[in-house]
Amino acid sequence: MTAASRIYDSGYRRYDGARLGPAHAFRAVVTHTLQRVFGLHRPARTKVLPILATAIAYVPAAVFVGLAAFLPRQLSENALPTYGDFYGFITAAVLLFVVFVAPEAMCPDRRSGVLSLYLAAPLTRSRYLAAKATAIFIALLFVTLGPPLLLLVGLSLQNSGPKGPAGLALILLRIVGSGAMLAAFFSALSVAASSLTDRRAVASAGTFGFVFAVNAVTAVLVFGAKAPDWVLALSPSRGPFELTRRIHGEPPLQDFHAGTAALAGAALAWFLIGAALAWHRYRSLQVTR
Amino acid sequence: MPTVVDASDVVKRWGKTTALDRATLKIGAGVTGLLGANGAGKTTFIGLVLGMHRADGGALRVLGMDPWADGLAVRAQVGYAPEHDALPPDVTAHDLVRHLAQVHGLPRREATARASDVLYELGLGEERFRQIGTMSTGQKQRVKLAQAISHDPELVLLDEPTNGLDPVQRDEMLALVRKVGHELGINVVLSSHLLDEVERVSDAVVILDAGRAVAGGTIGELGRTGDAELLVEIDGRGSRRLVDDLARAGVAAVIDGDRVVVALESDRVYDLVRDALAAADLGVRRLQRRRTSLEDVYLSAGDGAA
């Protein structure tokens, strides 16, 4: 055998290398879940929805950057949206992502039974759930943080961005805060909905139905039954997006009189309720007996 | 033989149902069959070994550790193939096995290489990039086995691995189980309610009945419990005379149908039986030392527990 030749034995070998700890298992679940959500290593049909949602989320930012690049003279001073207003253009993409990401990440593990294999590995139920929630949070950041960041970078390169390093840092901080808040809020809600069923379609429909049903109820209560203004903050589709405007220092929308504290409190309350429900469901889930 | 699992008076209740009732057993190296009827407590015991449940009483050690307190460490060294469906249909076998090896602590590069190696070893080399949902039941059972051993565990727990397989697939799976235990050097606990498959591949057996370990030991030890009998079939009449002659020589014997069952207390009994047959001029159709099969032990253990 020459120095350049090798014999490759494809049979079973004992393994005496490094065995990494629970943090490695956590990262493996996060990575695998993200690949699943975005359709990587999976059939072409599973890539359609992520690509569609991504396109809807990024097209507005790309259009505004393109307008700033190619029609700078034709754009009036107020033609570009503020960063606070920008979320109005991507609300549909965010909600589309929300209703499919968590069900895709969580329901198949229970439906196929692979959850029992995860829990027979160096993972506890809480770490498994935290890994799944982390993956969902990162996936949602892709549409809540990515588009405004693209807008910021694109406009800054066209000299239409914030003035000076301090202005840039402030906007960047507000974008990160808004994106993280939206991702965390919708992660908790969609994880909770997905913990209640092992069918993806039911979880998606449940998440969608919950968001719009509560939105309708709060609107009727405030505008029809003259309930206090803070009730509108409970709307899971309007409340968090209004909060992003406040984070960016924008004035409230015309019909939205709930205070910023009420908006933040409502978002925190929904987050905690969602997280507690999901945790309770997974803690009591019977995997093997 | 080193003890892999050591259970002492283990109790586990599900509500008002007692799944394990002061079960005491030891599982050593090699392939051990965990035998019992459906509902005997096999799956519950496996859940306790994995640290998925907490025992309500008794002491349990797995690889020298408490599986409830040291669950992460135990599960890093244990593989598990459940009885129920546990495979995602829209993932390839290779991706699943690699991912679960990573979850068990192997670095990505090692996990990738080992996933291919294990699937080759189990006869799925050409199929490893197929989606699991398109595979046959036999192939899926192999994928379950592959993911259970891909991280090179000290112990692998196989819960009814031949469920749903046809006879040919079943033989192949049992051959693989034997290979895992004897050639790959991984300790195996094979849970099954099928006596013959446990007998075929196991070095030792633990019999569970209604949550209690009612018998246990190596196949040889369990078989030896029935060695102390000699069956004699007489050609024609004469059984009664043989029993009487043996009794006069101090050897206990009884008539059982058309056979005489002689207590085989020592090798001298062979000579006494030969002499008695010759003195009475009796022809012998059959002379056999009776070996108790695992089935006898299983049935008598169940009767005893009942």
Side-chain angles (χ1 to χ4, degrees):
Chain A
M1 190 171 65
T2 67
S5 63
R6 296 278 189 281
I7 295 174
Y8 287 101
D9 180 4
S10 60
Y12 186 89
R13 296 162 285 121
R14 296 313 302 250
Y15 177 73
D16 54 7
R19 288 184 189 269
L20 308 174
H24 175 73
F26 184 92
R27 282 195 301 274
V29 175
V30 171
T31 307
H32 187 75
T33 304
L34 282 170
Q35 288 174 343
R36 177 173 189 88
V37 164
F38 287 107
L40 304 178
H41 303 297
R42 296 183 64 212
R45 67 176 184 282
T46 63
K47 305 179 201 303
V48 173
L49 208 49
I51 291 173
L52 185 67
T54 303
I56 296 173
Y58 282 82
V59 160
V63 168
F64 289 128
V65 171
L67 286 174
F70 296 112
L71 302 169
R73 294 175 189 278
Q74 287 85 342
L75 281 179
S76 66
E77 195 171 305
N78 295 323
L80 292 174
T82 63
Y83 292 97
D85 285 338
F86 176 72
Y87 285 97
F89 292 94
I90 61 168
T91 303
V94 171
L95 293 179
L96 180 62
F97 229 60
V98 165
V99 298
F100 103 86
V101 163
E104 183 63 50
M106 300 186 66
C107 295
D109 283 1
R110 295 201 309 280
R111 187 165 176 77
S112 68
V114 77
L115 178 62
S116 65
L117 300 183
Y118 278 120
L119 298 183
L123 279 172
T124 59
R125 289 174 188 240
S126 55
R127 283 185 199 190
Y128 166 82
L129 188 57
K132 286 287 174 179
T134 301
I136 292 164
F137 175 74
I138 293 170
L140 291 181
L141 281 180
F142 189 65
V143 291
T144 62
L145 185 57
L149 274 181
L150 174 64
L151 187 68
L152 175 64
V153 171
L155 293 182
S156 297
L157 291 174
Q158 307 301 325
N159 290 324
S160 301
K163 302 287 182 287
L168 181 65
L170 179 62
I171 292 292
L172 187 60
L173 199 63
R174 285 171 164 172
I175 286 175
V176 171
S178 300
M181 182 275 295
L182 282 177
F185 176 84
F186 284 115
S187 293
L189 278 193
S190 56
V191 165
S194 301
S195 72
L196 297 174
T197 174
D198 58 5
R199 290 181 178 273
R200 277 175 286 195
V202 175
S204 294
T207 307
F208 185 84
F210 174 79
V211 167
F212 284 95
V214 176
N215 183 49
V217 169
T218 54
V220 167
L221 287 174
V222 173
F223 301 123
K226 303 299 178 196
D229 290 332
W230 64 263
V231 172
L232 203 57
L234 293 170
S235 165
S237 63
R238 299 190 66 189
F241 286 104
E242 177 63 20
L243 186 55
T244 62
R245 293 178 55 80
R246 309 289 174 92
I247 291 172
H248 281 278
E250 305 283 338
L253 283 175
Q254 197 173 12
D255 60 351
F256 215 116
H257 303 299
T260 303
L263 285 166
L268 182 63
W270 279 128
F271 175 84
L272 293 175
I273 290 169
L277 178 60
W279 166 233
H280 173 73
R281 280 285 297 164
Y282 271 80
R283 194 182 61 170
S284 56
L285 204 62
Q286 185 175 302
V287 177
T288 183
R289 182 164 177 169
Chain B
M1 191 163 63
T3 300
V4 179
V5 178
D6 189 351
S8 176
D9 290 329
V10 171
V11 177
K12 181 63 191 173
R13 298 184 195 90
W14 301 110
K16 292 180 179 174
T17 305
T18 301
L20 288 173
D21 184 11
R22 298 174 63 86
T24 297
L25 58 100
K26 284 183 193 293
I27 292 174
V31 181
T32 301
L34 191 59
L35 187 60
N38 292 328
K42 304 187 297 294
T43 301
T44 294
F45 184 72
I46 286 175
L48 291 176
V49 169
L50 285 166
M52 285 181 172
H53 319 302
R54 186 176 201 163
D56 295 315
L60 178 64
R61 308 291 291 178
V62 178
L63 304 171
M65 295 176 277
D66 179 340
W68 180 251
D70 305 314
L72 296 180
V74 168
R75 291 196 289 273
Q77 297 183 56
V78 175
Y80 171 53
E83 175 185 6
H84 55 76
D85 287 339
L87 303 174
D90 55 353
V91 176
T92 68
H94 184 270
D95 278 350
L96 179 74
V97 174
R98 179 191 61 190
H99 172 54
L100 290 171
Q102 278 188 276
V103 172
H104 275 90
L106 268 61
R108 182 180 172 81
R109 182 175 297 210
E110 282 292 341
T112 302
R114 291 188 65 83
S116 284
D117 289 349
V118 169
L119 288 165
Y120 263 114
E121 193 75 47
L122 299 185
L124 289 174
E126 302 299 320
E127 314 290 338
R128 66 191 192 281
F129 294 119
R130 257 177 69 185
Q131 289 189 12
I132 295 169
T134 67
M135 291 181 163
S136 69
T137 306
Q139 289 171 326
K140 287 178 185 172
Q141 291 287 21
R142 288 174 189 234
V143 175
K144 268 200 229 174
L145 180 57
Q147 63 77 29
I149 65 171
S150 61
H151 57 288
D152 191 22
E154 290 291 316
L155 169 67
V156 64
L157 306 166
L158 307 178
D159 197 357
E160 307 275 6
T162 59
N163 254 9
L165 301 184
D166 64 36
V168 174
Q169 292 172 330
R170 188 166 157 257
D171 285 349
E172 290 171 352
M173 176 54 69
L174 291 176
L176 288 174
V177 172
R178 193 168 180 81
K179 182 178 186 177
V180 169
H182 294 124
E183 293 179 29
L184 307 186
I186 300 171
N187 301 309
V188 178
V189 172
L190 169 68
S191 164
S192 177
H193 65 281
L194 298 173
L195 182 69
D196 67 315
E197 68 181 38
V198 167
E199 198 166 18
R200 277 167 59 183
V201 301
S202 303
D203 305 310
V205 178
V206 172
I207 299 175
L208 285 179
D209 185 77
R212 298 183 74 104
V214 290
T218 64
I219 295 284
E221 286 168 355
L222 291 174
R224 271 199 294 277
T225 59
D227 277 356
E229 286 179 344
L230 185 67
L231 300 181
V232 184
E233 278 186 36
I234 306 296
D235 187 16
R237 297 183 169 208
S239 296
R240 181 76 259 160
R241 179 171 176 188
L242 177 62
V243 169
D244 292 342
D245 289 349
L246 288 172
R248 277 193 289 277
V251 177
V254 293
I255 296 173
D256 178 16
D258 57 352
R259 302 179 301 184
V260 175
V261 181
V262 184
L264 195 56
E265 292 163 354
S266 70
D267 285 349
R268 197 177 67 89
V269 171
Y270 288 113
D271 298 334
L272 294 173
V273 170
R274 178 201 61 203
D275 295 345
L277 288 168
D281 196 22
L282 296 173
V284 178
R285 189 181 297 151
R286 186 175 174 207
L287 187 69
Q288 181 188 16
R289 178 172 174 160
R290 184 157 87 168
R291 301 187 70 84
T292 299
S293 69
L294 195 55
E295 184 175 7
D296 297 324
V297 178
Y298 187 29
L299 293 174
S300 63
D303 291 344

